[in-house]
Amino acid sequence: MEGPLQLQMTEVNLPKTLRFLRRLPLPHKLGLLERLYGKNLRQLGIAWVETANGVVWKLDLGDACQRWIVYGDYEGAAQIHWMRRWLDPGGVVIDSGANIGQILLYLAPLPGVTIFAFEPVAPAADWLTECLQRYPKWAVKVIRQGLSNDPGTLTMQLDGPRSTLRSDWYRRQGFPTLRVPMTTLDDFLDEHQIQSVRLWKLDVEGHEMAALEGARRHLEKQAIAAILVEISDLDAPRRLLREYGYELYRIGRRGMIAYFTDAERPSGNVLALPTGSLPTGSLS
């Protein structure tokens, strides 16, 4: 392995071996590269770095989850592969819980994609805006609001990408709090005259059900073609989504999808698509 990584003009100069290895379909690649390079990367703290998909982004390399973006596809290659394939025709993406753009940086370079990135926490929104200045041709607009079932303001507990509107989480942690502005997806889409959404990435740390309730009008019309949602309690979202004609799936290997059965408990993201919207043979 080469010597220590060097920081040159605020951009990390990655070792050639890391650049090579991250292109390979290695088993357990993120863990392997973390063992090989994590210590050196961690020492660099906040820096600009070329991510695995070639985008240069500002990352906190002291955070293990952000180091994953250097090694490979954030939240897994299968999910990123599915999203890229789904967005092949382009379309509007709602990225709620955008944080510093961990998912956005994979989708914004795709042709014909327009992204509305919802991030109500000012430091994260500022970080994301700074990164986007490097890519002025990307069709991305940062929305400094969160999504809920009603407009107004709510209290958020602040813990980086794990910041949450849930008051019953982290009670003993003593995290700082902040009042943040909220809107509903229904109101936002109406205001901006957006007729359809190709993908809604919904990851708002426990506030997903409220966000879904704020999109009832567009769910009823099935104007949202796909929802990728992270939820720990599936029962209420499942009932709401099925009420409006959506079926639940999980994303498996190579981006193939399969039905999410009633007996399964959620682990990671769940995919919701209008019933009957998949072409024959598209399920694994």
Side-chain angles (χ1 to χ4, degrees), residues 58-106:
K58 189 171 82 169
L59 298 174
D60 180 358
L61 297 174
D63 184 317
C65 292
Q66 295 191 35
R67 292 195 295 274
W68 294 348
I69 302 172
V70 179
Y71 306 143
D73 293 325
Y74 188 76
E75 293 194 355
Q79 179 174 285
I80 296 297
H81 179 75
W82 181 86
M83 286 192 287
R84 285 172 171 154
R85 191 172 60 196
W86 182 255
L87 293 171
D88 182 61
V92 170
V93 174
I94 301 297
D95 183 0
S96 48
N99 196 247
I100 65 164
Q102 290 95 323
I103 293 295
L104 177 153
L105 65 88
Y106 295 95

Side-chain angles (χ1 to χ4, degrees), residues 120 144-155 165 179-184 187:
R144 293 173 179 260
Q145 294 175 301
L147 291 177
S148 189
N149 53 344
D150 284 303
T153 61
L154 293 174
T155 299
L165 290 162
R179 296 289 289 181
V180 295
M182 311 298 293
T183 187
T184 71
D187 287 350

Side-chain angles (χ1 to χ4, degrees), residues 7-187:
L7 188 64
Q8 299 178 348
M9 297 182 64
T10 72
E11 185 171 329
V12 169
N13 184 21
L14 295 174
K16 292 181 180 179
T17 51
L18 172 54
R19 292 176 179 272
F20 173 73
L21 290 172
R22 68 185 184 178
R23 295 198 301 266
L24 303 179
L26 302 170
H28 311 294
K29 179 167 64 176
L30 299 187
L32 171 63
L33 296 183
E34 174 66 9
R35 289 194 295 273
L36 291 174
Y37 301 100
K39 181 178 180 180
N40 281 343
L41 282 173
R42 185 167 56 247
Q43 294 172 351
L44 295 173
I46 297 174
W48 293 94
V49 59
E50 183 187 66
T51 66
N53 71 327
V55 171
V56 176
W57 212 251
K58 189 171 82 169
L59 298 174
D60 180 358
L61 297 174
D63 184 317
C65 292
Q66 295 191 35
R67 292 195 295 274
W68 294 348
I69 302 172
V70 179
Y71 306 143
D73 293 325
Y74 188 76
E75 293 194 355
Q79 179 174 285
I80 296 297
H81 179 75
W82 181 86
M83 286 192 287
R84 285 172 171 154
R85 191 172 60 196
W86 182 255
L87 293 171
D88 182 61
V92 170
V93 174
I94 301 297
D95 183 0
S96 48
N99 196 247
I100 65 164
Q102 290 95 323
I103 293 295
L104 177 153
L105 65 88
Y106 295 95
L107 307 182
L110 301 176
V113 167
T114 298
I115 300 178
F116 295 94
F118 287 79
E119 180 47 60
V121 178
D126 291 343
W127 186 307
L128 175 56
T129 300
E130 182 182 0
C131 291
L132 290 171
Q133 288 174 354
R134 287 189 168 226
Y135 301 96
K137 293 184 179 180
W138 287 1
V140 178
K141 183 173 178 58
V142 178
I143 310 298
R144 293 173 179 260
Q145 294 175 301
L147 291 177
S148 189
N149 53 344
D150 284 303
T153 61
L154 293 174
T155 299
M156 177 173 284
Q157 296 188 78
L158 301 180
D159 184 31
R162 292 161 290 278
S163 297
T164 180
L165 290 162
R166 292 286 296 265
S167 60
D168 57 332
W169 290 9
Y170 312 131
R171 287 180 175 177
R172 298 182 180 179
Q173 300 298 322
F175 291 134
T177 61
L178 180 71
R179 296 289 289 181
V180 295
M182 311 298 293
T183 187
T184 71
L185 187 57
D186 278 337
D187 287 350

